[in-house]
Amino acid sequence: MKLLEFEAKDVFGREGIRIPKGVVVRKGEGLPPNLEEIGDRVVVKAQVDVGGRGKAGGVLMADAGNAGEAVQHLFNAHIKGVPVNSVLIEERLPIEHEYYVSIAIDRSKKEPVILFADTGGVNIEETARTNPDAIRTVGVSPLFADVPAFLLRELTGTAPAGVRDAVNRLYRVFCKNDALLAEINPLVTTPNGVYAADAKLIIDDNSLARQGIAVNRDLTEREKEAEKHGFSYVELEGEIGVIGNGAGLTMATLDLIDHFKGRAANFLDVGGGADQERVKHAVRLVAGMPSVRVIIVNLLGGITRCDEVARGIIEAGVSQEVIVRLAGTNEEEGRRLLAEKGYRMLGSMDETVRAAVEATA
């Protein structure tokens, strides 16, 4: 479960990580009377469970006097298809420097791994892609209650002591809350100290009862549609739509997209035995994502029939190019149907993914 920013900051603050002064406003409520206590200059942030919120218009700068206009603007907006039901109004920090820190599980080593970079902000993904050496990593034994001092020094380099302290406290948050991901981007230095300017916390669903957390989040319209049809569906931030059958095959497709330097827009597993209607709904759902420029359909026909898949793709009739890899039951008939309509079909996953990446280059 991914917590909203204000929820994650509340957890961080309880562990002693400094967070900006702020107040949450929910739709239908008026502005708090003590808004001026936050500061003359504020940041108004939509509290929605989507990535790339800032680039999608979900973060606005305002003065205390016109914060109400920014709040109303966000309440009238949808950020990547998600309605805004709450906003966070925060003081605008006098930032001197931005850092990046995140903690996740390294499943191969069976331990938490901390990532740290001397530059943070919205372009951290680009930094990771173009200059991977700029991001330092260390693994920490799960037996440690704190990050050993020598590892903190190795990780943070010449960063101020307050940054090292914040990283260690984030590690405590990660362990105490059964987290899958704890991230601060950016972790900022100011004349008044080190602050978490943003916060992300994803908690293992298996631990929600122990953590005392009730699941209550806004779903995008596409997530609701996927839930209705029983698809396993996750929205990502790329341009290549992905439809597969079976979690392993679908994940392998995403891995290949990353290998060829592309970016997947989603994960969608239609499951076994997908018929024409099911495939049609899957293709239309993925095509409805504004960022999607090309769609990969990668299905293996066992109990799923390739001719049914082909008919579903054709009936979907979407505007984006659909690149198809089919293998298995009634494969020849499926290929014939798609060829008649001019769809591009390739024989291997590598060829299919490479073609999709090239189409978005």
Side-chain angles (χ1 to χ4, degrees), residues 27 45-60 70-87 218-224 235 288 290:
K27 200 166 189 176
K45 302 179 177 181
Q47 298 300 285
V48 288
D49 181 14
V50 298
R53 173 188 56 172
K55 291 182 179 180
V59 177
L60 303 176
V71 169
Q72 195 57 50
H73 175 82
L74 290 177
F75 281 150
N76 292 332
H78 282 67
I79 308 302
K80 293 191 172 182
V82 179
V84 180
N85 294 317
S86 60
V87 300
D218 295 321
L219 298 177
T220 67
E221 292 303 317
R222 285 179 295 277
E223 286 173 325
K224 292 176 184 176
E235 292 192 0

Side-chain angles (χ1 to χ4, degrees), residues 26 34 41 133 141 176 178 210 221 227 232 252 261 301 321 333 341-342:
R26 292 172 174 80
N34 60 339
R41 302 198 310 161
D133 292 339
S141 167
K176 289 180 181 179
D178 298 302
R210 179 169 66 188
E221 292 303 317
E227 197 172 74
S232 296
K261 309 302 182 186
E321 181 182 12
E333 176 64 8
K341 298 295 183 179

Side-chain angles (χ1 to χ4, degrees), residues 107-150:
R107 296 185 184 277
S108 62
K109 296 181 179 179
K110 301 181 179 64
E111 65 182 14
V113 60
I114 308 176
L115 285 71
F116 183 87
D118 291 317
T119 57
V122 296
N123 294 319
I124 187 65
E125 291 87 357
E126 187 62 24
T127 299
R129 186 186 302 274
T130 60
N131 186 18
D133 292 339
I135 299 179
R136 300 188 288 277
T137 64
V138 298
V140 183
S141 167
L143 300 176
F144 289 136
D146 289 289
V147 184
F150 76 94

Side-chain angles (χ1 to χ4, degrees), residues 35-326:
L35 187 59
E36 68 279 356
E37 295 178 9
I38 295 176
D40 294 332
R41 302 198 310 161
V42 298
V43 185
V44 183
K45 302 179 177 181
Q47 298 300 285
V48 288
D49 181 14
V50 298
R53 173 188 56 172
K55 291 182 179 180
V59 177
L60 303 176
M61 303 297 172
D63 298 324
N66 64 1
E69 297 175 15
V71 169
Q72 195 57 50
H73 175 82
L74 290 177
F75 281 150
N76 292 332
H78 282 67
I79 308 302
K80 293 191 172 182
V82 179
V84 180
N85 294 317
S86 60
V87 300
L88 174 62
I89 305 175
E90 279 189 338
E91 64 174 316
R92 205 183 312 178
L93 297 170
I95 295 172
E96 295 176 331
H97 191 84
E98 296 184 349
Y99 297 89
Y100 170 86
V101 58
S102 70
I103 306 174
I105 294 292
D106 185 328
R107 296 185 184 277
S108 62
K109 296 181 179 179
K110 301 181 179 64
E111 65 182 14
V113 60
I114 308 176
L115 285 71
F116 183 87
D118 291 317
T119 57
V122 296
N123 294 319
I124 187 65
E125 291 87 357
E126 187 62 24
T127 299
R129 186 186 302 274
T130 60
N131 186 18
D133 292 339
I135 299 179
R136 300 188 288 277
T137 64
V138 298
V140 183
S141 167
L143 300 176
F144 289 136
D146 289 289
V147 184
F150 76 94
L151 285 180
L152 281 173
R153 289 193 297 270
E154 175 186 331
L155 186 71
T156 60
T158 59
V163 170
R164 290 195 292 275
D165 180 68
V167 172
N168 189 52
R169 291 178 186 275
L170 186 66
Y171 175 76
R172 294 178 189 170
V173 167
F174 182 85
C175 295
K176 289 180 181 179
N177 293 275
D178 298 302
L180 299 176
L181 174 70
E183 178 184 276
I184 303 175
N185 182 30
L187 177 67
V188 302
T189 56
T190 75
N192 301 316
V194 177
Y195 287 82
D198 200 353
K200 183 181 291 185
L201 186 62
I202 301 177
I203 295 174
D204 189 335
D205 287 349
N206 296 304
S207 74
L208 294 180
R210 179 169 66 188
Q211 293 294 338
I213 297 173
V215 177
N216 180 24
R217 67 186 183 94
D218 295 321
L219 298 177
T220 67
E221 292 303 317
R222 285 179 295 277
E223 286 173 325
K224 292 176 184 176
E225 183 74 10
E227 197 172 74
K228 182 176 76 174
H229 292 289
F231 299 144
S232 296
Y233 175 74
V234 179
E235 292 192 0
L236 304 172
E237 299 179 21
E239 303 82 29
I240 301 173
V242 178
I243 299 171
N245 61 336
L249 179 64
T250 312
M251 279 302 302
T253 308
L254 266 64
D255 288 343
L256 269 178
I257 290 172
D258 183 71
H259 174 73
F260 288 122
K261 309 302 182 186
R263 299 202 316 156
N266 70 286
F267 169 105
L268 193 155
D269 172 13
V270 296
D275 59 12
Q276 177 178 337
E277 279 295 301
R278 194 169 176 80
V279 172
K280 177 186 74 174
H281 288 302
V283 173
R284 288 182 177 175
L285 188 151
V286 172
M289 298 180 67
S291 63
V292 169
R293 295 166 53 192
V294 62
I295 298 171
I296 294 172
V297 177
N298 182 17
L299 278 84
L300 297 180
I303 58 174
T304 300
R305 289 171 38 189
C306 293
D307 57 328
E308 284 283 302
V309 172
R311 291 187 178 93
I313 294 170
I314 294 167
E315 188 177 350
V318 299
S319 60
Q320 295 95 331
E321 181 182 12
V322 181
I323 303 176
V324 184
R325 181 229 179 187
L326 291 176

Side-chain angles (χ1 to χ4, degrees), residues 328-343:
T329 306
N330 290 358
E331 176 183 343
E332 290 186 4
E333 176 64 8
R335 287 178 168 274
R336 184 189 67 78
L337 291 169
L338 290 169
E340 288 178 354
K341 298 295 183 179
Y343 285 89

